[in-house]
RNA sequence: GCUGCUGUAGCUCAGUGGUAGAGCACUUCCUUGGUAAGGAAGAGGUCAUGGGUUCGAGCCCCAUCAGCAGCUCCA
């Protein structure tokens, strides 16, 4: 039979719009942007090669398994009401309204029931019916959510049910033919989810699961989920003594321990280095300002809910800053500006505070106080394209240094209320496009995705686990220059309005460094590693030699841990290994006599003896080149 | 903020109404060992916090705080 399905590719494509039409925001990065494996993750290196002999696309299988699950839930929990149950990037979910809360135990029961049903190999039947009939059937079954779903289907569309056994669901398909074929699935987790993704609507219970045609693929996926768990920055944060959070201090405030503070400082040094190279000047602005500043900027009006409550000083309300731009603008405004000094590029690692709702704070990824790697470029319209190109180049340099791949998106003018006239939008968008062309940066169009105050280029980076997250953004702003009435004296002697470019490369240090922990799995490259070298004497009498090497390494600004406390070397090797120190130098009689070191690289049990001077050069090179690997790069 | 779950030693976790436990880490002593945990002893907890029920609460109930899986929202 025509296994490519009577439904064809057009029906297949309909799967995704189905959800969007119904008012779902398609989840992009989910909670904490990168913490959730289900939606936002792709599996690049874990994914098996594409299958050719699959009877149906994976999406179709998953959608059908979601139905299988729903039918099992229906048998185990009579009276359950159904919500939506689509396939998603790495699996599927189904939403249920149930009196009692589900538990993990129920998940196993449901799985068992699913296998029971699938064991009978029921066929999946499609039935086309009228809107009236569907409404009657669903109402009779008390499926109030499904009745609502019915009303969301556009007038000109066919109404269909898909079912197996005695169970059927309002659904546009497509589905596999029957449950007789071999497939593998697992139910993964439970969560609450608002009906139709709307927080004013009732909350349903969502079950997530995944399904594959091949056992090995399911296993690989589960393995990958394990790897994600192992690399969780919160777990590694404890294991490697990187950071902590404290109930005493409140939710969403990160305490950087020496190890992670070291990583951060290296990131910051690199960041400043690259900015200085590109003609940025540093600025520092206060954390607290009079409220009137944020009234002028519009933050109070548009962003007030995210801001901390005012504090009163000398009978004046003051606010903690949620963004750095107003401060930079005050500096710009401090005196008259001439076209001769533009572009001005001002950078600040500016710490801001934003009120985040209690349920969303998450490790270092979503916090209430964080440091943005912020900069603002004040320039003329003519300079815009060059300035943007400069930022694109900077993003490329930074992301490649950390080993991230990325994709850039051009976000254009949104449909509804925006400021600035067509002409300037057109010119700015064109400038972004030209700039990208200048640096050979392909742009994916994000139609209408711009901010209300201007178009932008957003970047998504892909980490070592194939997960995507957004950090860098380059935004043209016509709004703030207007609000603050910024100007510069142009060649013609008249006052002109500068364009402001807001840009962040890393986003926030908290989120970025948290991401680095997971990207590297705690195995930081040499330049970032909290301790770069561990010195281990074989016997106490070799301590002096180790101390001497420690001194030499420190003079070269190599971060070194001389482990000459009493104890056995095996234990120290294990400790250094556990701490993910890139290099262990082990010194005993032979090494002392020859002024060599036995070098053990992270991730290998082999060792290589070399003159200490040679090692010093090696580690210096790896650090200074910000190499990602522990091997010297071949010239 | 919402739904569900969790909070016991620095870490990982046992302990379901009747005298607070284990492993690792830590301290001390012994051990001088050539590449992933040497041995022994010791110290360490108002069981998140505040109320309540009970003769009696780590355990049951309520509230608060914090965390976890998501939803919604975001750098």
């Amino acid at each position: 039979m025509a296994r490519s399905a009577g439904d064809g590719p057009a029906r297949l494509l309909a799967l995704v719009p189905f959800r969007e039409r119904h008012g779902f925001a398609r989840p992009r990065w989910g909670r904490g942007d990168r913490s959730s494996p289900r939606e936002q993750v792709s599996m690049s290196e874990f994914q098996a090669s594409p299958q050719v002999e699959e009877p149906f696309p994976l999406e179709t299988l998953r959608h059908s398994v979601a139905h299988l699950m729903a039918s099992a839930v229906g048998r185990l929990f009579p009276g359950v009401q159904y919500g939506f149950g689509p396939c998603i990037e790495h699996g599927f979910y189904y939403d249920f309204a149930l009196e009692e809360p589900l538990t993990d135990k129920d998940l196993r029961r449901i799985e068992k029931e699913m296998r029971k049903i699938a064991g009978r190999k029921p066929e999946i039947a499609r039935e086309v019916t009228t809107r009236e009939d569907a409404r009657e059937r669903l109402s009779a079954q008390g499926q109030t959510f499904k009745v609502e779903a019915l009303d969301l289907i556009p007038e000109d569309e066919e109404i269909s049910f898909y079912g197996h056994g005695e169970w059927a669901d309002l659904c546009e398909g497509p589905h596999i033919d029957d449950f007789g074929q071999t497939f593998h699935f697992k139910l993964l987790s439970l969560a609450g989810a608002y009906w139709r993704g709307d927080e004013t609507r009732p909350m349903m219970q969502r079950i997530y699961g995944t399904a594959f045609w091949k056992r090995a693929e399911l296993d690989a996926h589960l393995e990958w989920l394990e790897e994600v768990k192992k690399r969780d920055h919160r777990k590694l944060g404890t294991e490697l003594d990187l950071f902590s959070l404290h109930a005493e201090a409140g939710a969403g405030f990160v305490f950087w321990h020496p190890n992670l503070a070291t990583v951060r400082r290296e990131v910051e040094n690199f960041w400043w280095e690259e900015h200085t190279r590109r003609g940025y000047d540093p600025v520092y602005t206060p954390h607290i300002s009079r409220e009137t500043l944020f009234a002028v900027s519009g933050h109070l009006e548009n962003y007030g809910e995210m801001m901390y409550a005012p504090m009163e000083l000398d009978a004046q309300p003051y606010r903690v800053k949620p963004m750095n731009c107003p401060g930079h603008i005050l500096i710009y405004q401090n005196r008259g500006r001439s076209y001769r000094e533009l572009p001005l590029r001002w950078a600040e690692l500016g710490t801001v505070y934003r009120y985040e709702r209690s349920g969303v704070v998450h490790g270092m990824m979503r916090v209430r106080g964080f440091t943005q790697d912020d900069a603002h470029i004040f320039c003329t319209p003519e300079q815009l394209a060059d300035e943007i190109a400069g930022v694109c180049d900077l993003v490329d340099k930074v992301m490649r240094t950390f080993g991230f791949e990325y994709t850039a998106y051009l976000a254009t003018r949104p449909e509804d209320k925006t400021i600035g006239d067509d002409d300037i939008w057109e010119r700015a968008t064109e400038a972004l496009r030209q700039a990208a062309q200048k640096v050979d940066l392909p742009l994916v169009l994000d139609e209408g995705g711009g901010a209300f105050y201007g178009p932008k280029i957003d970047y998504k980076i892909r980490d070592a686990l194939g997960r995507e997250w957004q950090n860098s953004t380059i935004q043209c702003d016509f709004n703030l220059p207007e609000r603050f009435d910024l100007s510069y004296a142009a060649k013609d002697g008249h006052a002109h309005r500068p364009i402001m470019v807001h840009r962040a490369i890393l986003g926030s240090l908290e989120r970025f460094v948290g991401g680095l922990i997971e990207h590297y799995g705690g195995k930081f490259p040499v330049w970032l590693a909290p301790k770069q070298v561990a010195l281990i004497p074989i016997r106490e009498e070799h301590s002096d030699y180790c101390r001497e090497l420690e001194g030499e390494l420190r003079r070269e600004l190599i971060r070194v841990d001389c482990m000459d406390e009493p104890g056995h070397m095996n234990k120290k090797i294990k400790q250094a290994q556990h701490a993910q120190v890139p290099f262990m130098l082990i010194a005993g009689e032979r090494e002392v006599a020859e002024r060599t070191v036995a070098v053990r690289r992270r991730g290998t049990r082999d060792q290589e003896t070399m003159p200490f001077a040679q090692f010093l050069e090696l580690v210096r090179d790896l650090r200074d080149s910000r190499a990602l690997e522990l091997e010297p790069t071949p010239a």
Side-chain angles (χ1 to χ4, degrees), chain A residues 53-83:
Chain A
E53 72 275 36
E54 284 174 1
F56 289 94
L58 205 48
E59 292 78 14
T60 309
L61 171 69
R62 287 170 174 171
H63 190 194
S64 296
V65 176
H67 272 210
L68 179 62
M69 176 170 82
S71 68
V73 170
R75 289 172 65 100
L76 296 172
F77 303 90
V80 61
Q81 288 193 44
Y82 297 107

Side-chain angles (χ1 to χ4, degrees), chain A residues 276-496:
Chain A
T276 307
R277 214 188 292 286
R278 288 167 166 80
Y280 285 78
D281 293 309
V283 292
Y284 293 97
T285 60
H287 291 196
I288 298 172
S289 299
R290 280 179 60 188
E291 192 176 82
T292 45
L293 177 63
F294 301 108
V296 174
S297 70
H299 285 104
L300 222 45
E301 192 186 337
N302 300 313
Y303 210 73
E305 280 185 11
M306 298 291 284
M307 291 174 67
Y308 280 85
M311 63 190 101
E312 206 178 273
L313 300 169
D314 301 330
Q316 293 286 332
Y318 282 73
R319 294 279 195 154
V320 176
K321 67 175 169 182
M323 291 190 192
N324 299 304
C325 16
H328 294 191
I329 288 173
L330 289 184
I331 299 176
Y332 182 93
Q333 274 185 319
N334 188 51
R335 61 171 171 80
R337 300 288 172 182
S338 153
Y339 75 95
R340 290 176 195 277
E341 56 186 321
L342 299 186
L344 288 166
R345 307 185 192 97
W346 290 342
E348 176 176 15
L349 296 172
T351 303
V352 297
Y353 291 87
R354 300 180 186 175
Y355 174 73
E356 294 283 359
R357 300 206 288 179
S358 63
V360 305
V361 295
H362 179 93
M364 301 184 72
M365 300 301 191
R366 189 75 181 273
V367 293
R368 285 175 168 170
F370 56 95
T371 301
Q372 292 185 307
D373 70 311
D374 218 348
H376 296 95
I377 299 170
F378 300 87
C379 65
T380 69
E382 295 71 38
Q383 293 167 332
L384 189 56
D386 277 344
E387 287 309 305
I388 302 290
V391 180
C392 292
D393 183 63
L394 175 55
V395 171
D396 181 72
K397 169 74 184 185
V398 170
M399 290 312 160
R400 277 195 312 155
T401 300
F402 289 107
F404 290 112
E405 291 168 22
Y406 60 82
T407 314
Y409 297 81
L410 176 65
T412 59
R413 186 171 197 164
E415 293 280 323
D416 46 344
K417 47 171 186 184
T418 53
I419 68 136
D421 48 38
D422 290 345
D423 177 51
I424 193 140
W425 270 90
E426 186 46 49
R427 280 165 68 190
T429 309
E430 195 45 40
L432 290 173
R433 210 176 258 129
Q434 277 173 16
Q437 210 160 37
K438 203 173 280 188
V439 293
D440 278 327
L441 174 70
L443 289 178
V444 179
L445 190 63
D446 177 9
E447 191 77 55
F452 76 91
Y453 51 76
K456 56 181 183 171
I457 294 177
D458 285 330
Y459 287 77
K460 278 185 203 168
I461 61 178
R462 185 179 286 274
D463 75 8
L465 288 176
R467 301 175 300 180
E468 277 198 335
W469 36 306
Q470 200 205 312
N471 289 76
S472 315
T473 181
I474 310 171
Q475 311 182 347
C476 298
D477 182 1
F478 322 133
N479 178 42
L480 286 177
E482 195 79 34
R483 277 181 172 270
F484 282 91
D485 192 26
L486 299 187
S487 66
Y488 63 90
K491 233 173 191 164
D492 62 10
H494 292 102
H496 287 242

Side-chain angles (χ1 to χ4, degrees), chain A residues 545-603:
Chain A
Y545 178 61
C546 285
R547 284 285 165 196
E548 191 195 330
L549 301 190
E550 179 190 34
E552 290 199 34
L553 289 162
R554 281 220 183 117
R555 262 194 296 284
E556 294 295 330
L557 300 179
I558 306 284
R559 296 182 290 271
V560 53
D561 183 11
C562 185
M563 304 174 79
D564 66 348
E565 65 278 6
H568 287 223
M569 66 173 276
N570 278 0
K571 189 168 180 177
K572 294 174 188 174
I573 288 169
K574 175 158 168 94
Q575 283 169 342
Q577 198 83 267
H578 186 76
Q580 307 288 8
V581 181
F583 293 105
M584 273 180 245
L585 302 186
I586 292 154
E589 258 170 73
R590 292 199 294 273
E591 287 77 14
V592 173
E594 297 162 12
R595 282 202 69 81
T596 58
V597 284
V599 180
R600 206 172 139 143
R601 285 169 216 245
R602 180 176 60 204

Side-chain angles (χ1 to χ4, degrees), chain A residues 234-273:
Chain A
R234 295 164 300 180
K235 187 175 155 73
L236 291 175
T238 303
E239 286 173 10
L240 300 176
D241 194 11
L242 299 176
F243 73 97
S244 53
L245 306 165
H246 300 269
E248 297 91 320
F253 297 113
V254 177
F255 290 76
W256 299 68
H257 296 195
N259 283 337
L260 196 61
T262 300
V263 175
R264 171 174 172 163
R265 192 187 51 178
E266 290 297 336
V267 170
E268 292 184 357
N269 288 347
F270 168 55
W271 188 89
W272 277 119
E273 200 179 288

